[in-house]
Amino acid sequence: MARVLVIGGGGREHALAWKLLQSPKVERLFVAPGNAGTAEIAENVPIHFTEVQDLLAFAQQERIDLTVIGQEAASEAGVVDEFLQAGMAVFGPSRAAARIETSKAFAKELMRANRIPTAPFRSFDNYQAALSGLADRSFPAVIKASGLAEGKGVVVAGTFEQAREAVLKLMVAKRFGASGDTVVIEDFLLGQEISVHAFCDDRTAVLFPASQDHKQAYDGDKGPNTGGMGVIAPVPWVTRGHLDTIEARIVQPALDGLRREHAGFVGCLYPGLMIDGDTVKVVEFNARFGDPEAQTYMRLLDGDLYEILDACTRGELDPKDVTWKSGAAISVAAVSDGYPGSYKKGMPISGIGKASSEPEVVIFHGGTIRDQGALRTAGGRVLYVTAVGSDLNDARRKAYDAIHCISFDGMNFRTDIGLRQTPELAPGQSSGRPETRPSEPEHS
Ligand code: AMP
Ligand code: GLY
């Protein structure tokens, strides 16, 4: 019997904890720091995910058998490296392996070296060189801070002047500090954006079904970018051919490339992909479960999550263990008024019991807190209503029936998650279309 620690405190970690607890092998489950939802099913530990030494001391004292990284800031803070050094089993990438997400310049070089399809690019580490690079190229162009910038470091520039301004902000004004010391300038990709995840054990990768996030705050893909307003899986129009390409030409070569760089990857590899007809290109790599992708995927996973993650840490991932339910899953985020900008906290939440009365519906908590017995909002993305169904329309209907039972002051949600079921975008939808003004995603 195993004692498991999940690190993080959002909807993703609630979903991972919920799925881990379905394993007959999990005896005790801790979540650090967790939220009001994880407190209902597991034991919350009041240690922040970047307090590496405190986390290690806790894990050793509690004789934790498996630590699962949800929140990526934990890898970045060195939790994985320290835990591995102390001989603990961890599902999550080392700092070196996580560079596939934390350094876009590294990720692009890795893709070039391993012939992974992606937008043609150049990297620059000084302003003058970047300017000369811009002078030589056509527009639109995509300008990216190489380092982490909370999703705000990417600008689609329609003209040289817009691109110059973006580079100036990153490299001279240092808007994102050292994250903008290096910039990547790449071609604009047309198409529709989807993603996949893959369990990885350093050598073997096993793909999940395709998923699609809805990042803009409002219906019709309007409004500012968020951390994710809803996710569907599988994506109805993504074909076996697309998935074979993603596996053979993208995920496996990335894993092999990382191992050759002495940065073997154990964890969840999550490429963001642009699909245009049969062509698939990588937009970015993430080195973690997505949020709310994980909430959707955990509803679809049929296999034993504990066994899969544990096998990954031992280099023994067996594709036969990763099985999926038929049908479809969806998650819809209920967010605070004003999100992704500023919003109020502390609103009482009601209706969760009624909303989750159907067995196909499960509600995961994001920013919630229990205060003297009452459940209250404590973040921008408050709850994720998830549902499974025989197909996407069935799952969608169940999730929306359930979300209408929930209320808190200022609650917002998108009403069109899962409506887009073809590879074509409706007029006015933004994915894959150059803007005339430079676009700057505003993340959560
Ligand atoms: P990234 O942080 O690299 O994922 O970029 C953030 C978002 O910008 C992506 O999710 C895409 O919507 C968009 N984006 C990034 N790179 C490109 C590209 N080369 N072409 C079109 N859109 C892009
Ligand atoms: N849902 C987007 C992300 O996790 O990055």
Side-chain angles (χ1 to χ4, degrees):
M1 293 295 280
R3 300 161 71 86
V4 181
L5 170 64
V6 173
I7 298 184
R12 166 180 53 196
E13 290 75 26
H14 189 185
L16 293 171
W18 175 84
K19 189 67 194 170
L20 282 163
L21 281 167
Q22 289 171 19
S23 170
K25 295 198 171 155
V26 173
E27 178 197 15
R28 252 178 112 177
L29 182 73
F30 301 93
V31 187
N35 59 29
T38 60
E40 286 170 11
I41 59 171
E43 294 168 64
N44 281 357
V45 182
I47 306 177
H48 192 260
F49 37 76
T50 55
E51 299 295 336
V52 182
Q53 293 310 325
D54 289 353
L55 287 169
L56 182 59
F58 173 83
Q60 287 174 323
Q61 186 192 326
E62 289 293 337
R63 300 181 322 280
I64 296 295
D65 298 295
L66 172 69
T67 299
V68 179
I69 306 294
Q71 170 56 245
E72 58 274 15
S75 310
E76 187 60 5
V79 170
V80 177
D81 299 71
E82 288 288 325
F83 273 50
L84 289 175
Q85 200 149 26
M88 314 283 291
V90 195
F91 180 85
S94 65
R95 265 206 199 114
R99 272 184 305 162
I100 196 165
E101 174 169 1
T102 57
S103 166
K104 289 188 195 290
F106 172 82
K108 294 295 285 193
E109 290 298 343
L110 185 85
M111 287 188 260
R112 176 141 64 196
N114 292 281
R115 298 166 171 273
I116 294 173
T118 188
F121 76 102
R122 291 175 70 187
S123 305
F124 301 95
D125 56 16
N126 76 75
Y127 176 65
Q128 283 310 327
L131 271 195
S132 326
L134 286 177
D136 288 346
R137 60 156 303 131
S138 60
F139 293 88
V142 184
I143 319 295
K144 301 182 173 184
S146 177
L148 294 177
E150 294 173 351
K152 296 180 195 164
V154 175
V155 170
V156 178
T159 63
F160 172 86
E161 205 32 57
Q162 289 170 352
R164 193 185 67 85
E165 214 173 284
V167 172
L168 201 62
K169 275 187 192 155
L170 292 176
M171 302 192 93
V172 181
K174 297 273 173 219
R175 189 153 164 200
F176 299 107
S179 288
D181 285 353
T182 301
V183 297
V184 170
I185 300 178
E186 66 180 31
D187 288 3
F188 182 81
L189 295 174
L190 279 168
Q192 209 180 126
E193 233 178 314
I194 63 140
S195 65
V196 299
H197 286 31
F199 291 121
C200 297
D201 80 350
D202 179 31
R203 281 179 190 276
T204 305
V206 182
L207 251 59
F208 297 22
S211 67
Q212 190 165 44
D213 195 6
H214 296 66
K215 289 195 176 157
Q216 287 86 1
Y218 315 132
D219 283 2
D221 290 342
K222 303 267 178 10
N225 243 32
T226 71
M229 296 294 291
V231 168
I232 59 164
V235 182
W237 52 269
V238 170
T239 63
R240 183 72 252 165
H242 288 129
L243 290 170
D244 289 346
T245 303
I246 295 165
E247 181 164 27
R249 297 212 46 214
I250 294 171
V251 173
Q252 194 62 49
L255 196 58
D256 294 342
L258 284 168
R259 198 171 57 251
R260 280 193 293 272
E261 302 264 344
H262 307 290
F265 190 97
V266 174
C268 179
L269 191 59
Y270 154 19
L273 305 158
M274 196 67 86
I275 305 216
D276 185 11
D278 292 335
T279 307
V280 186
K281 290 189 177 157
V282 176
V283 176
E284 62 165 350
F285 277 108
N286 298 300
R288 54 185 174 81
F289 291 98
D291 185 341
E293 282 80 354
Q295 291 87 310
T296 301
Y297 279 137
M298 290 306 114
R299 299 300 316 281
L300 269 190
L301 182 65
D302 201 28
D304 182 319
L305 182 65
Y306 170 76
E307 283 187 3
I308 294 168
L309 302 187
D310 182 55
C312 286
T313 67
R314 286 182 282 105
E316 292 173 7
L317 174 61
D318 184 345
K320 284 200 295 298
D321 292 336
V322 184
T323 52
W324 301 94
K325 296 183 175 126
S326 59
I330 189 169
S331 58
V332 182
V335 305
S336 300
D337 194 30
Y339 172 80
S342 59
Y343 49 81
K344 290 192 203 148
K345 295 182 187 175
M347 306 298 154
I349 304 170
S350 65
I352 291 198
K354 182 158 186 249
S356 39
S357 59
E358 293 290 329
E360 293 89 355
V361 173
V362 176
I363 293 168
F364 295 121
H365 292 223
T368 61
I369 192 168
R370 201 165 279 284
D371 173 22
Q372 297 176 348
L375 188 66
R376 292 179 185 274
T377 66
R381 291 189 296 170
V382 177
L383 295 167
Y384 302 88
V385 176
T386 72
V388 287
S390 54
D391 60 17
L392 183 53
N393 288 330
D394 188 35
R396 202 185 116 68
R397 195 173 53 249
K398 287 172 180 147
Y400 278 106
D401 282 351
I403 207 167
H404 283 109
C405 301
I406 300 175
S407 69
F408 56 83
D409 197 19
M411 172 172 137
N412 291 327
F413 57 89
R414 274 182 65 161
T415 66
D416 63 347
I417 308 299
L419 274 189
R420 185 197 307 142
Q421 298 187 11
T422 67
E424 289 80 38
L425 289 163
Q429 283 182 318
S430 58
S431 182
R433 279 164 210 278
E435 308 258 337
T436 45
R437 291 183 303 110
S439 74
E440 265 183 88
E442 297 163 40
H443 210 273
S444 56

